[in-house]
Every structure is written in C-alpha cells, then in structure tokens.
Amino acid sequence: ADGLKLAAAGKLTVCTHLPFKPFQVRDTKGAIVGFDVDYMDLVAKKLGLTQTIVDTPFEGIKSGQDLKIGKCDVAAAGMTITKTRQQVMDFSVPYFDNTQSLLVKAGQPYKTLADFKGKKIGGEVGNTGLKFAQNNAAKYGFTVVEYQDTTTLQQALATNQIQGAMDDLPIWTVLVAEDKRFTIATKFATNEQYGYSVAKGANPKLLATVNEVITSSLKDGSYAKLYTKWMQL
Ligand code: ARG
C-alpha cells in the first residue's frame, strides 16, 4: 500500500493493553478478540494487510512513545482522546462515548464518592479514570491505589484491598453482567470519547483510512452490528 509507513511489511501492527473487555480480551482459546480488534480488521482489510496485535503497557500507548518509536502503526486500546494525548499523537474521529464508573462489591453501602471517606479507590495506571479519582481524592477524603490492568484492579476489589474500582463504564457493565459479586455504584459524566491513533504527523494516509472506516461503518450498519456484538450497555 503506497504512502503507508508500516512497522512490518504486509501487516497492520496494533498496540493495545490487555485485558479491556469488550474492546480487547483473550478468549478461552487465547485469541485476542473485541470491538477494537474487529474494527482494526476492517482497517487492515481496506489496506490489504493483516492485523497483528502487540500487548503492551498503557503508559507507552498513551504517551505516544510506542507509536513514535514504531512499535506499532496504530493504537487501538479503548483510549480516550484528551488534549494532552493530542499533543503527542494523531487521533481519529471519535468512535465511542465513555464515562467513568465506580465498581463496588455487591451488597456494600457505597453510593457516592462521599461514602468513600477514609477508604481506598483503585484505578489503572495512566488512565483517565485514575486521574479522575486522583482529582477527587482530597475533596472526598479517599486514597487512590494504582493497578496495571483491569484484572489486578478487580481482584483487589474482590479481596477487599480497595472498596471501589474506577474504570470506563463499558468495561464494568460487561463485567457485572457476568460476575454477580460486583455492581456499579455510580457513574460520572466525564464526557469522554475514544479514538484510534497514529504517530504524530507521520502517517496521514493510515489515519485517513481509519477515519474512512469509522465514518462509513456508521452509515452502512457495520458499526451497529459491532456494537450489538460486543456491548451490553
Ligand atoms: N479510556 C481510558 C483511557 O484512555 C482507559 C483505557 C484503557 N485501555 C486499555 N486497553 N487498558 O485512559
């Protein structure tokens, strides 16, 4: 494909951070599946490439570093578009609306942030949810604890090391549908939008293709299909 800068010939190399179900997660056979994975397959197909996924810490993704050093061509990680991140990478048009949500153990009395005085709330390293929790910690008197991924975060909650877990609403919505130990105490109107991203200034043709795929999928019904396939919102 002309005008494309690729990390590996013939491949669309995608950086993500697992697990982030339903956007990217390993199925029971170990294959990486999810909403973002299906989307990147559409982009790869359009370019005559095959997708290959690199699972890597979120810090390297959100800092723009992985894209900059050519570890991957595109980041697809349920990543929120923020002003800070826009300075270090080029985002696609938005493809998903998100708000923060607070997961608690079922049957616990936590309803609002005010109920967490003297308690602990966990979040994922480098995430908008962690930042949101940190920004509210002093006001409500809770402590924030950082975890590497959604698995360690929910395990910490399950084992009472923390009393609340802050993360993106679609993630906790899918989890509570499957795991009755947990419930969503409250949601916050953080008004986030996810975008896919490429290296800053370096891959305009790839970015244009990602945008075309998003825009046309909204019109031709393929977005709606993927949404129904993966979301339980
Ligand atoms: N939307 C949040 C953010 O951008 C969380 C993304 C986490 N993604 C992941 N694949 N673990 O900060």
Side-chain angles (χ1 to χ4, degrees):
D2 287 338
L4 283 180
K5 284 191 203 80
L6 296 174
K11 300 210 159 109
L12 181 67
T13 309
V14 177
C15 274
T16 200
H17 182 53
L18 295 169
F20 204 59
K21 192 180 181 181
F23 293 91
Q24 43 269 329
V25 64
R26 278 188 200 279
D27 68 12
T28 49
K29 288 174 191 143
I32 301 170
V33 299
F35 184 92
D36 284 345
V37 179
D38 282 355
Y39 240 93
M40 286 301 116
D41 272 340
L42 293 176
V43 172
K45 196 175 165 199
K46 183 144 198 190
L47 295 166
L49 305 169
T50 50
Q51 177 179 190
T52 170
I53 298 174
V54 180
D55 179 23
T56 189
F58 193 69
E59 291 280 35
I61 298 175
K62 70 119 196 189
S63 65
Q65 207 48 31
D66 289 341
L67 291 166
K68 192 175 174 181
I69 64 172
K71 188 188 260 190
C72 46
D73 307 312
V74 54
M79 180 160 54
T80 302
I81 303 168
T82 71
K83 288 213 169 68
T84 312
R85 294 171 184 175
Q86 277 173 323
Q87 284 164 22
V88 290
M89 63 188 97
D90 289 340
F91 277 98
S92 68
V93 295
Y95 70 91
F96 202 90
D97 292 336
N98 175 53
T99 59
Q100 289 306 313
S101 60
L102 193 55
L103 189 76
V104 297
K105 283 180 98 172
Q108 294 293 309
Y110 306 111
K111 288 268 171 281
T112 69
L113 287 181
D115 299 331
F116 286 85
K117 194 175 165 63
K119 307 288 181 197
K120 288 180 182 157
I121 291 180
E124 274 187 84
V125 177
N127 279 21
T128 49
L130 180 78
K131 193 159 191 201
F132 178 74
Q134 286 167 337
N135 289 343
N136 284 281
K139 182 174 174 193
Y140 294 102
F142 58 80
T143 307
V144 178
V145 190
E146 300 185 26
Y147 295 91
Q148 275 305 319
D149 52 49
T150 50
T151 306
T152 48
L153 178 56
Q154 84 197 43
Q155 274 163 3
L157 183 62
T159 55
N160 304 312
Q161 292 164 55
I162 52 175
Q163 288 70 47
M166 189 74 74
D167 216 311
D168 294 10
L169 180 60
I171 310 312
W172 290 156
T173 302
V174 167
L175 178 70
V176 299
E178 306 177 331
D179 191 335
K180 299 301 169 196
R181 291 178 300 165
F182 303 115
T183 185
I184 294 168
T186 179
K187 302 166 192 177
F188 307 92
T190 51
N191 299 317
E192 297 174 46
Q193 290 184 307
Y194 292 171
Y196 299 118
S197 62
V198 302
K200 183 104 190 140
N203 232 338
K205 182 172 173 194
L206 178 55
L207 186 63
T209 308
V210 173
N211 282 336
E212 273 165 47
V213 167
I214 295 172
T215 308
S216 65
S217 73
L218 287 165
K219 288 185 198 142
D220 70 11
S222 45
Y223 185 94
K225 259 194 207 151
L226 286 184
Y227 194 96
T228 314
K229 179 177 173 192
W230 294 107
M231 304 299 149
Q232 292 161 49
L233 296 178

